[in-house]
Amino acid sequence: MSEPVVGYIHSTESFGSVDGPGVRFVTFMQGCRMRCEFCHNPDTWNIGGGKKITSQELLEEALRYRAFWGKKGGVTVSGGEPLLQVDFLIDFFKRCKAMGIHTTLDSCGMPFTYDEPFFSKFEELLEYTDLILLDIKHIDDEQHKKLTAWTNKNILQLAEYLSEKGQPVWIRHVLVPERSDYDEYLERLSEFVAGLKNVLKFEVLPYHRLGVYKWKNLGIPYKLEHIEPPTKERVANANRILRTQEYKGYLEV
């Protein structure tokens, strides 16, 4: 008997409606190396913390809600950053697919590399992944580093690789005033995403302050204290420049 595959999760959500198609059981994995200034879950950063669980235990928990998923729902694994626990993801999604469950991965792509052993594991993971929600935080590398403390080069490589593979993707972009909400950056992002062949949906997520209390509870200085959420006009402007209405493939799935 092989040892059960163990992961570390922060929490679960039984009836998620925004993290993929339909109603979904969402698992938030523990651990992330990015330090996004707008993060609303800084309590997921600590690697190795959280609740220890086996992939079979998580599957059994998810199955309790299967009756509510309908034809389009399923499971989504979010974070933190799920790809930091790629072995757990592979085993969990493999078990899900054996049960005919739709699988979605919500990732910022930060751990992606063509180096081994990660790349072979990632290719195996794709065999059991129906949809990827890919967060592109900023199109400009230097600005990305300021915003997240990490480069975007491997993240954009990931986006291009998934396009080559034909892996269905929804792109998400958080619109942050004084950070990403500049027409120049939006135009560059629009051009990049237009060059991908696999984007079924493109979402603008307006920056919000709902997680600020978590920073304060953790004693972490919040650098965006002075920044308010973008206006409806700026959100509409971003949607126009990014041409988000043109990405309708998700309606056909």
Side-chain angles (χ1 to χ4, degrees), residues 139-247:
I139 193 62
D140 183 86
D141 190 40
E142 288 306 311
Q143 294 300 319
H144 193 280
K145 290 174 185 175
K146 292 177 183 176
L147 187 63
T148 72
W150 197 267
T151 181
N152 73 359
K153 290 181 179 177
N154 65 313
I155 294 166
L156 300 184
Q157 281 182 338
L158 169 60
E160 291 169 339
Y161 173 70
L162 294 174
S163 177
E164 292 168 12
K165 292 278 288 186
Q167 172 71 42
V169 163
W170 293 6
I171 299 289
R172 291 169 147 185
H173 180 64
V174 179
L175 189 69
V176 188
E178 299 182 33
R179 295 296 190 271
S180 58
D181 186 14
Y182 291 96
D183 287 5
E184 172 200 347
Y185 297 137
L186 294 170
E187 287 163 2
R188 286 169 57 187
L189 178 60
S190 180
E191 183 179 357
F192 176 79
V193 175
L196 304 175
K197 302 184 289 286
N198 60 332
V199 180
L200 304 182
K201 190 175 187 179
F202 195 177
E203 295 181 284
V204 171
L205 306 179
Y207 160 74
H208 62 71
R209 300 171 54 84
L210 299 179
V212 175
Y213 75 95
K214 294 183 181 180
W215 291 70
K216 293 179 178 177
N217 289 345
L218 293 168
I220 306 172
Y222 189 70
K223 295 181 180 179
L224 305 186
E225 193 72 55
H226 64 291
I227 294 179
E228 294 297 324
T231 63
K232 290 181 179 179
E233 290 76 17
R234 290 306 298 175
V235 174
N237 179 71
N239 277 302
R240 178 183 60 79
I241 293 175
L242 296 174
R243 296 161 31 206
T244 56
Q245 294 302 312
E246 296 180 18
Y247 297 86

Side-chain angles (χ1 to χ4, degrees), residues 35-232:
R35 293 294 180 263
C36 298
E37 292 182 325
F38 56 82
C39 180
H40 56 272
N41 289 318
D43 46 341
T44 66
W45 286 354
N46 182 33
I47 295 173
K51 174 187 174 183
K52 186 177 180 180
I53 193 170
T54 69
S55 53
Q56 181 60 31
E57 287 171 337
L58 185 60
L59 175 63
E60 289 171 3
E61 185 178 343
L63 287 172
R64 286 159 42 192
Y65 304 96
R66 189 171 191 172
F68 301 98
W69 297 344
K71 292 182 179 180
K72 288 194 172 184
V75 301
T76 295
V77 178
S78 187
E81 175 44 60
L83 288 175
L84 292 175
Q85 301 187 61
V86 66
D87 293 320
F88 180 83
L89 277 185
I90 291 169
D91 198 68
F92 178 57
F93 276 9
K94 188 175 184 178
R95 292 173 185 270
C96 288
K97 294 315 297 178
M99 300 286 293
I101 298 171
H102 185 279
T103 55
T104 294
L105 169 66
D106 181 8
S107 171
C108 68
M110 169 262 146
F112 179 78
T113 175
Y114 283 105
D115 295 341
E116 297 293 355
F118 178 87
F119 185 64
S120 292
K121 291 181 178 181
F122 183 72
E123 284 198 300
E124 182 180 0
L125 175 63
L126 291 185
E127 295 176 22
Y128 309 111
T129 305
D130 292 309
L131 175 66
I132 293 180
L133 312 183
L134 181 61
D135 304 314
I136 299 181
K137 313 290 187 180
H138 208 298
I139 193 62
D140 183 86
D141 190 40
E142 288 306 311
Q143 294 300 319
H144 193 280
K145 290 174 185 175
K146 292 177 183 176
L147 187 63
T148 72
W150 197 267
T151 181
N152 73 359
K153 290 181 179 177
N154 65 313
I155 294 166
L156 300 184
Q157 281 182 338
L158 169 60
E160 291 169 339
Y161 173 70
L162 294 174
S163 177
E164 292 168 12
K165 292 278 288 186
Q167 172 71 42
V169 163
W170 293 6
I171 299 289
R172 291 169 147 185
H173 180 64
V174 179
L175 189 69
V176 188
E178 299 182 33
R179 295 296 190 271
S180 58
D181 186 14
Y182 291 96
D183 287 5
E184 172 200 347
Y185 297 137
L186 294 170
E187 287 163 2
R188 286 169 57 187
L189 178 60
S190 180
E191 183 179 357
F192 176 79
V193 175
L196 304 175
K197 302 184 289 286
N198 60 332
V199 180
L200 304 182
K201 190 175 187 179
F202 195 177
E203 295 181 284
V204 171
L205 306 179
Y207 160 74
H208 62 71
R209 300 171 54 84
L210 299 179
V212 175
Y213 75 95
K214 294 183 181 180
W215 291 70
K216 293 179 178 177
N217 289 345
L218 293 168
I220 306 172
Y222 189 70
K223 295 181 180 179
L224 305 186
E225 193 72 55
H226 64 291
I227 294 179
E228 294 297 324
T231 63
K232 290 181 179 179

